Amino acid sequence: MKTTVKNTQVTEDIFNQVDQLWDEEVEFLQEIGRYPTTLGNEQALQNYLAKHFEEMELDVDQFVPDMKELSSHPGFSVPEWGYDGRTVVVAKAPGADVKKGKSLIYQGHIDVVSPEPVSAWSYDPWGSTIKDGKMYGRGIQDMKSGVAAMIYAYKAVRAAGYRPAADFMLQTVIEEECTGNGALAALEKGYTADGALIPEPFGYKATKSQVGVMWMRVKVKGLGAHTERASEAVNAIEKLYVMMDALKKYRTHINEEPKHPDFAEHPHPLNVNIGTIQGGDWPSNVPSEATLEARVGFYPGQDPDEIKANVKEWLLEAAKEDEWLRECPPEITFYGFHAEGFALDDQSELFQVLDSAHETVLQTPPERSILTATTDARFFNLYYDIPCTCYGPTGGNMHGIDEWVDLESVKNVTKVYADFLVNWCGVVKEEK
Ligand SMILES: [Zn+2]
């Protein structure tokens, strides 16, 4: 059931504005792509965006996530870094006729993962290079392209002479790639709505389900000694191999268990990734300590605390098989992502309005994605009863070398988001 009747003339006017504004949107994406917004380096871009939103005559709130307040929330992830001077930006357009539509949030994260090894790139990761209809750069696909699309969707609505009938918000958040605490902070601060979309760049497919994710650290101690007496020493790096093998076996084990129905077709839905290893400081020294950090996936409906307990037990069991680790067990700790998964009803009104917008713009049947990664959409759905899904542009090499976005898809997604805004929020023609 739609609450507003589709007005094709309105949509056409707004789509024309997306076309008119397209060169500006590309330049805007290039501009925000040049900010190297890795963890802890997001603020210059957040300030730029806050100013941009003010120029768009939106009511802007820029605030630092309050860790004390968030720490008791079930969706909170424990960070190992501070939040001083690191803000979330919320820009609001108060509804022009709130009885007419439903309130809406468009949210994007502006943090990006490391571009290393930069030497392997063919393009400057912060150069926003355009070639053959693609724009290259770290974070250009994930997800500055989506951020540009959601902002220009609203701009096109305004340029066509309309205002959202219900309250509408643009939000840019930090820490999607490590905790989600930015998105959580916005919701906890009371910035909620009747629905939300996140233009994550998974390519014209609305997210139906996503896995849970948690991060862990495993530290193993050895007995450091000079290599001359290495036979008496215990090499921590070699002992860390025992833990790495155990984690790989855990990965096989969890993927052999019965799958969550949404993931039944996926050959290997639950990834366990060993992401970092550290240990040793000199070729001729026996390392006395070695550490790995890993990311563990799990199904919607599974409790992250339970998964943490399971993995810990699995590794401690494996440690018992080793003479040294039995005496000197590994230290297993958790930080960063503590993210539950979710599975949505993809016939809800949010999906219907999105499907219709997709069909209007792309003229193809709507599709779904089942994510083997996490996104900020979990907070809306799990803890605030706000229907939320991800839908965004297409591209390639996300999180990898030479990440790129397909510019045509950015334009199409801008139109889909404009159409969604019209049909979810409702619009009111401005008096001249
Ligand atoms: Zn992302």
Side-chain angles (χ1 to χ4, degrees), residues 1 3 9 20 32 43 74 76 79 81 120 129 148 157 190 215 238 254 317-318 322 347 359 371 378:
M1 268 288 291
T3 49
Q9 190 54 48
Q20 296 275 321
I32 63 176
Q43 198 51 38
F76 177 70
W81 43 80
T129 308
V157 169
W215 281 4
E238 289 178 17
I254 54 176
E317 280 301 314
D322 181 89
Q347 298 308 313
E359 285 169 305
L371 301 182
R378 68 184 181 277

Short mmCIF file of all heavy atoms in Angstrom, two decimals, residues 1 3 9 20 32 43 74 76 79 81 120 129 148 157 190 215 238 254 317-318 322 347 359 371 378:
data_model
loop_
_atom_site.label_atom_id
_atom_site.label_comp_id
_atom_site.label_asym_id
_atom_site.label_seq_id
_atom_site.Cartn_x
_atom_site.Cartn_y
_atom_site.Cartn_z
N MET A 1 0.84 -1.22 0.00
CA MET A 1 0.00 0.00 0.00
C MET A 1 0.87 1.26 0.00
O MET A 1 1.69 1.46 0.87
CB MET A 1 -0.87 0.01 1.27
CG MET A 1 -2.24 -0.63 1.09
SD MET A 1 -3.36 0.38 0.11
CE MET A 1 -3.64 1.77 1.22
N THR A 3 1.23 5.31 0.30
CA THR A 3 0.49 6.38 0.95
C THR A 3 0.30 7.56 0.01
O THR A 3 -0.58 8.37 0.21
CB THR A 3 1.22 6.87 2.21
OG1 THR A 3 2.57 7.11 1.85
CG2 THR A 3 1.12 5.88 3.33
N GLN A 9 4.61 13.49 -13.44
CA GLN A 9 5.15 14.79 -13.82
C GLN A 9 6.18 15.27 -12.79
O GLN A 9 7.24 15.78 -13.15
CB GLN A 9 4.03 15.83 -13.97
CG GLN A 9 4.49 17.15 -14.57
CD GLN A 9 5.20 16.96 -15.92
OE1 GLN A 9 4.71 16.25 -16.80
NE2 GLN A 9 6.39 17.53 -16.07
N GLN A 20 20.39 17.83 -14.96
CA GLN A 20 20.95 19.19 -14.96
C GLN A 20 22.12 19.34 -14.00
O GLN A 20 23.09 20.02 -14.28
CB GLN A 20 19.88 20.21 -14.54
CG GLN A 20 18.69 20.34 -15.47
CD GLN A 20 18.98 21.31 -16.60
OE1 GLN A 20 19.62 22.33 -16.38
NE2 GLN A 20 18.54 20.98 -17.79
N ILE A 32 34.83 15.21 -2.46
CA ILE A 32 34.79 14.48 -1.18
C ILE A 32 35.71 13.24 -1.25
O ILE A 32 36.21 12.79 -0.22
CB ILE A 32 33.35 14.09 -0.73
CG1 ILE A 32 32.66 13.14 -1.69
CG2 ILE A 32 32.51 15.35 -0.51
CD1 ILE A 32 31.27 12.67 -1.21
N GLN A 43 37.57 14.19 10.11
CA GLN A 43 36.93 15.44 10.52
C GLN A 43 36.91 16.53 9.46
O GLN A 43 35.93 17.27 9.35
CB GLN A 43 37.55 15.96 11.82
CG GLN A 43 36.69 16.99 12.53
CD GLN A 43 35.25 16.50 12.71
OE1 GLN A 43 35.02 15.31 12.97
NE2 GLN A 43 34.28 17.40 12.53
N PRO A 74 23.11 -2.48 23.61
CA PRO A 74 23.47 -3.82 23.13
C PRO A 74 24.18 -3.82 21.77
O PRO A 74 24.88 -4.77 21.45
CB PRO A 74 22.11 -4.54 23.01
CG PRO A 74 21.07 -3.47 23.04
CD PRO A 74 21.66 -2.34 23.82
N PHE A 76 26.47 -1.61 20.92
CA PHE A 76 27.73 -0.88 21.08
C PHE A 76 28.93 -1.78 20.80
O PHE A 76 28.96 -2.94 21.22
CB PHE A 76 27.82 -0.32 22.50
CG PHE A 76 29.10 0.40 22.82
CD1 PHE A 76 29.38 1.63 22.22
CD2 PHE A 76 30.02 -0.14 23.71
CE1 PHE A 76 30.57 2.30 22.52
CE2 PHE A 76 31.20 0.53 24.01
CZ PHE A 76 31.47 1.75 23.42
N PRO A 79 35.55 0.48 21.26
CA PRO A 79 36.64 1.02 20.45
C PRO A 79 37.95 1.01 21.24
O PRO A 79 37.92 0.90 22.47
CB PRO A 79 36.20 2.46 20.20
CG PRO A 79 35.38 2.81 21.42
CD PRO A 79 34.83 1.54 22.00
N TRP A 81 40.12 3.59 20.63
CA TRP A 81 40.56 4.91 20.25
C TRP A 81 39.53 5.91 20.75
O TRP A 81 38.44 5.53 21.14
CB TRP A 81 40.70 4.99 18.72
CG TRP A 81 39.55 4.33 18.02
CD1 TRP A 81 38.31 4.87 17.80
CD2 TRP A 81 39.50 3.00 17.51
NE1 TRP A 81 37.50 3.96 17.17
CE2 TRP A 81 38.20 2.81 16.97
CE3 TRP A 81 40.43 1.95 17.43
CZ2 TRP A 81 37.81 1.61 16.38
CZ3 TRP A 81 40.02 0.76 16.84
CH2 TRP A 81 38.73 0.60 16.32
N ALA A 120 50.71 -0.16 -5.19
CA ALA A 120 50.10 -1.09 -6.13
C ALA A 120 48.99 -0.45 -6.97
O ALA A 120 48.51 -1.04 -7.93
CB ALA A 120 49.55 -2.29 -5.37
N THR A 129 40.26 10.14 -9.91
CA THR A 129 40.51 10.12 -11.36
C THR A 129 39.31 9.53 -12.10
O THR A 129 38.78 8.49 -11.70
CB THR A 129 41.74 9.25 -11.67
OG1 THR A 129 42.82 9.70 -10.85
CG2 THR A 129 42.12 9.33 -13.15
N ALA A 148 27.19 11.08 -2.31
CA ALA A 148 26.89 12.08 -3.35
C ALA A 148 25.48 11.86 -3.88
O ALA A 148 24.71 12.82 -4.05
CB ALA A 148 27.92 12.00 -4.47
N VAL A 157 15.29 17.41 -5.87
CA VAL A 157 13.92 17.67 -5.41
C VAL A 157 13.73 19.18 -5.17
O VAL A 157 12.74 19.77 -5.62
CB VAL A 157 13.61 16.86 -4.12
CG1 VAL A 157 12.31 17.32 -3.47
CG2 VAL A 157 13.58 15.36 -4.43
N GLY A 190 18.45 10.56 19.19
CA GLY A 190 17.05 10.84 18.91
C GLY A 190 16.76 11.13 17.45
O GLY A 190 15.64 11.50 17.09
N TRP A 215 35.14 -8.71 15.93
CA TRP A 215 36.60 -8.69 15.81
C TRP A 215 37.20 -9.29 17.07
O TRP A 215 36.67 -9.12 18.18
CB TRP A 215 37.11 -7.25 15.69
CG TRP A 215 36.99 -6.65 14.33
CD1 TRP A 215 36.41 -7.19 13.22
CD2 TRP A 215 37.44 -5.34 13.96
NE1 TRP A 215 36.49 -6.30 12.17
CE2 TRP A 215 37.11 -5.17 12.60
CE3 TRP A 215 38.09 -4.31 14.63
CZ2 TRP A 215 37.41 -3.99 11.90
CZ3 TRP A 215 38.39 -3.14 13.94
CH2 TRP A 215 38.05 -2.98 12.58
N GLU A 238 55.84 -19.14 15.85
CA GLU A 238 55.49 -20.53 15.50
C GLU A 238 54.28 -21.02 16.29
O GLU A 238 53.46 -21.78 15.77
CB GLU A 238 56.71 -21.44 15.72
CG GLU A 238 57.80 -21.18 14.68
CD GLU A 238 59.05 -22.01 14.90
OE1 GLU A 238 58.99 -23.02 15.63
OE2 GLU A 238 60.09 -21.64 14.32
N ILE A 254 32.10 -23.82 11.03
CA ILE A 254 30.84 -23.04 11.05
C ILE A 254 30.17 -23.04 9.68
O ILE A 254 28.95 -22.91 9.59
CB ILE A 254 31.02 -21.59 11.57
CG1 ILE A 254 32.11 -20.84 10.79
CG2 ILE A 254 31.33 -21.59 13.06
CD1 ILE A 254 32.25 -19.37 11.21
N GLU A 317 40.56 -24.92 23.41
CA GLU A 317 40.61 -26.38 23.22
C GLU A 317 41.81 -26.76 22.35
O GLU A 317 42.54 -27.71 22.65
CB GLU A 317 39.31 -26.89 22.57
CG GLU A 317 38.15 -27.06 23.53
CD GLU A 317 38.44 -28.04 24.66
OE1 GLU A 317 38.97 -29.14 24.37
OE2 GLU A 317 38.17 -27.70 25.83
N ALA A 318 41.97 -26.00 21.26
CA ALA A 318 43.11 -26.26 20.36
C ALA A 318 44.42 -26.04 21.09
O ALA A 318 45.40 -26.78 20.86
CB ALA A 318 43.01 -25.35 19.14
N ASP A 322 48.54 -28.47 22.41
CA ASP A 322 49.94 -28.05 22.25
C ASP A 322 50.61 -27.97 23.63
O ASP A 322 50.09 -27.33 24.54
CB ASP A 322 49.97 -26.68 21.56
CG ASP A 322 51.39 -26.18 21.33
OD1 ASP A 322 51.94 -26.49 20.27
OD2 ASP A 322 51.93 -25.51 22.25
N GLN A 347 9.09 -7.64 1.77
CA GLN A 347 7.84 -7.20 1.14
C GLN A 347 7.22 -6.04 1.93
O GLN A 347 6.07 -5.66 1.69
CB GLN A 347 6.84 -8.36 1.03
CG GLN A 347 7.32 -9.51 0.15
CD GLN A 347 7.78 -9.05 -1.22
OE1 GLN A 347 7.10 -8.28 -1.88
NE2 GLN A 347 8.96 -9.48 -1.64
N GLU A 359 12.35 0.27 -10.44
CA GLU A 359 11.75 -0.10 -11.73
C GLU A 359 11.51 1.13 -12.60
O GLU A 359 11.67 1.09 -13.82
CB GLU A 359 10.45 -0.87 -11.51
CG GLU A 359 10.72 -2.30 -11.07
CD GLU A 359 9.47 -3.02 -10.58
OE1 GLU A 359 8.80 -2.51 -9.67
OE2 GLU A 359 9.18 -4.09 -11.14
N LEU A 371 24.04 -10.09 2.34
CA LEU A 371 25.40 -9.62 2.58
C LEU A 371 26.18 -10.53 3.53
O LEU A 371 25.69 -10.87 4.61
CB LEU A 371 25.39 -8.21 3.18
CG LEU A 371 24.73 -7.10 2.37
CD1 LEU A 371 24.86 -5.78 3.11
CD2 LEU A 371 25.37 -7.01 0.99
N ARG A 378 21.97 -2.36 10.43
CA ARG A 378 21.55 -3.22 11.56
C ARG A 378 20.93 -2.41 12.70
O ARG A 378 19.95 -2.85 13.30
CB ARG A 378 22.73 -4.05 12.07
CG ARG A 378 23.84 -3.26 12.77
CD ARG A 378 24.99 -4.19 13.15
NE ARG A 378 26.09 -3.53 13.83
CZ ARG A 378 27.07 -2.87 13.20
NH1 ARG A 378 27.08 -2.76 11.88
NH2 ARG A 378 28.05 -2.29 13.89
#
